[in-house]
Amino acid sequence: MAKKQSKPRTKKFRTIAVSIFFAIVVWFAVIYVNDPDITTTISDLNVRIVGETALRNRNLAVTGRDEIPELSVVVTGKRSDLINFMDDIYVQVDVNDINTVGEYNLSGTISIPTTRISVEKEDYGDIPVKIEKLESKDIEVSIKQTGALKNKLVKSQPTNPTVTITGAASELSEVYGAVATVDISNLTEDRTDRVSYLMTNEAGELININETLETENSFIEVENTIYNAKTLPVEPALTSELAREYILKADKTACAPNTVTVGVDDTNTDEKVIARIDNLDKNDGWYSLEASNGMYIPQEVKWVKIKPETVKKAVEELELNIDIQNIPEGHSAHLMNTVRASVWGEEGSINRDNVHAFIDLSGLSKGEYTLPVRISGDNIGFMQEYTATVKIE
């Protein structure tokens, strides 16, 4: 019994759906066949400046477009024409006759793409336009890398990091640099790429608003050099100038991080990276790492924090007790002369008991030799090189 009632109900729903569909089709047909005239308001009209090339030839430019108030116009036309040409209706402002900087109120002209649309009412007055002088300045382009290579580091360096930009003074003042992004993930060998760049503000953020800024070239050349990645300990050291007056006590000097991952080529065999301390007034400060030949230090690891412990350097004249090491088996050896040396170290600790001087006879046989005198111990050293003569019998 229930099955018999469902058929008439289904048929009724189908009839209603078909009726609604045909009603919509008829409505659209009436609208588009008749294509009635309608009147509407177009708000937030685009403003197009005419004559900007002539302005630039006079070293001038239009700025402050975002300060132009909202413009609107009331138009009448066929519905289809308004739909098709809505985006092509704009206000045109001519700056061809402007020769000096300043703020101007200029009349605008409505541009209509077809005579089938007419203007009923213009809802704007004079349009404010700001004219500024064009200037130039140099900015530096930094490199940002994306991607990675396993067990490798890539040094990406611009052949010329400086570019010249031109624009209105108000916009130039916001530009502090530029950034070029290099993808290193597919590098298989050293190469030079042409890379586009984007301008940045003081905070390093990309500049999105640009009315007048231009550059001669929109790209720079970047040299990419591949290095082997190697993790090395960091060794703090004084500059040569500070080392003349102070001793760095390595065992009491704190450094963080105390290891860094750097890039090395096949010529580099270093087992440490030097962090050069150039200012003892900082006490607890940041110091840069020194790259030796064949080494690349990425910018993100170039600085380490060091709390140096130093003492004033003292110099004493001593007659050395020289130890003879590695005397050949079955032989004896004795010094032929004494050595008086200028020894530097901590004040109060430079004496014959604390200064361990020696010469090394490794690989020698019977005879008389003049050999370098070495000194061992922390925070102690010779002011110059010394030698001693030894006789092996």
Side-chain angles (χ1 to χ4, degrees):
M1 193 73 176
K3 290 182 180 180
K4 292 181 180 179
Q5 290 178 353
S6 64
K7 289 183 179 180
R9 186 175 298 173
T10 302
K11 184 176 181 181
K12 180 179 179 181
F13 286 148
R14 286 178 181 172
T15 303
I16 293 173
V18 170
S19 299
I20 293 173
F21 173 76
F22 278 109
I24 294 172
V25 170
V26 170
W27 182 80
F28 273 104
V30 170
I31 291 296
Y32 281 94
V33 170
N34 292 335
D35 199 12
D37 287 330
I38 61 173
T39 299
T40 187
T41 299
I42 301 176
S43 300
D44 199 15
L45 285 171
N46 288 328
V47 176
R48 299 187 185 180
I49 308 295
V50 177
E52 288 195 89
T53 301
L55 271 187
R56 279 200 170 262
N57 290 337
R58 302 182 196 113
N59 215 27
L60 300 171
V62 177
T63 62
R65 298 170 199 259
D66 56 342
E67 298 175 8
I68 296 176
E70 183 177 301
L71 310 178
S72 62
V73 65
V74 179
V75 295
T76 297
K78 296 293 184 182
R79 178 187 177 87
S80 60
D81 288 334
L82 290 175
I83 291 174
N84 292 331
F85 297 108
M86 184 80 73
D87 293 337
D88 297 321
I89 300 174
Y90 59 89
V91 178
Q92 183 172 287
V93 179
D94 193 342
V95 296
N96 271 298
D97 295 331
I98 297 178
N99 294 299
T100 59
V101 299
E103 296 184 4
Y104 297 83
N105 289 315
L106 304 177
S107 60
T109 303
I110 290 289
S111 177
I112 303 293
T114 175
T115 56
R116 296 191 300 274
I117 299 176
S118 60
V119 176
E120 299 294 328
K121 180 182 179 183
E122 300 176 1
D123 189 14
Y124 59 89
D126 289 341
I127 299 169
V129 175
K130 185 184 294 183
I131 306 297
E132 291 189 49
K133 190 173 183 61
L134 290 175
E135 299 178 358
S136 296
K137 78 174 183 180
D138 293 337
I139 59 172
E140 193 165 305
V141 182
S142 60
I143 305 300
K144 177 183 177 182
Q145 290 182 347
T146 59
L149 294 177
K150 186 176 181 180
N151 299 325
K152 303 288 183 181
L153 291 179
V154 178
K155 180 181 181 181
S156 297
Q157 185 173 14
T159 55
N160 184 0
T162 302
V163 296
T164 301
I165 61 173
T166 301
S170 60
E171 285 198 295
L172 277 182
S173 64
E174 297 296 319
V175 182
Y176 281 77
V179 60
T181 302
V182 179
D183 183 1
I184 65 170
S185 57
N186 294 318
L187 281 178
T188 56
E189 59 184 8
D190 298 351
R191 74 184 190 200
T192 299
D193 293 333
R194 296 172 69 182
V195 185
S196 60
Y197 57 88
L198 298 172
M199 286 172 277
T200 55
N201 59 21
E202 187 176 11
E205 301 166 339
L206 296 182
I207 293 176
N208 297 316
I209 298 176
N210 177 8
E211 292 184 309
T212 66
L213 298 176
E214 290 184 354
T215 60
E216 291 182 359
N217 294 312
S218 59
F219 63 86
I220 59 171
E221 289 190 342
V222 179
E223 296 177 345
N224 298 297
T225 308
I226 302 174
Y227 291 84
N228 296 315
K230 187 175 183 180
T231 300
L232 296 174
V234 178
E235 182 177 297
L238 298 177
T239 62
S240 57
E241 183 178 353
L242 286 175
R244 284 195 289 267
E245 297 185 45
Y246 297 94
I247 298 170
L248 181 68
K249 304 189 74 171
D251 57 334
K252 294 185 178 180
T253 294
C255 177
N258 55 16
T259 62
V260 292
T261 299
V262 299
V264 295
D265 63 19
D266 294 338
T267 67
N268 187 282
T269 58
D270 289 353
E271 295 302 325
K272 62 185 177 184
V273 183
I274 299 297
R276 192 64 65 181
I277 299 171
D278 58 359
N279 185 354
L280 297 180
D281 293 336
K282 290 191 285 189
N283 187 35
D284 188 1
W286 292 91
Y287 298 88
S288 64
L289 300 177
E290 257 182 16
S292 57
N293 291 334
M295 179 183 291
Y296 161 57
I297 302 177
Q299 190 63 35
E300 58 268 24
V301 301
K302 190 173 179 63
W303 297 85
V304 294
K305 195 169 188 179
I306 300 175
K307 187 173 183 179
E309 181 76 24
T310 60
V311 293
K312 197 76 172 175
K313 177 183 282 187
V315 178
E316 298 284 349
E317 290 283 333
L318 290 180
E319 186 171 312
L320 300 176
N321 289 324
I322 301 176
D323 182 24
I324 302 175
Q325 296 183 351
N326 299 312
I327 299 173
E329 188 175 351
H331 292 74
S332 62
H334 64 273
L335 292 169
M336 304 293 292
N337 64 297
T338 60
V339 176
R340 190 167 184 81
S342 294
V343 180
W344 61 260
E346 292 186 44
E347 193 171 13
S349 66
I350 307 172
N351 54 63
R352 296 184 69 181
D353 293 332
N354 292 335
V355 176
H356 178 213
F358 63 92
I359 56 175
D360 189 352
L361 305 186
S362 295
L364 301 179
S365 57
K366 184 178 179 180
E368 189 172 298
Y369 302 91
T370 299
L371 301 172
V373 180
R374 306 300 185 193
I375 192 169
S376 65
D378 293 332
N379 304 322
I380 198 165
F382 288 141
M383 296 297 292
Q384 64 184 61
E385 293 185 357
Y386 296 95
T387 59
T389 299
V390 63
K391 187 173 183 179
I392 304 174
E393 295 178 330

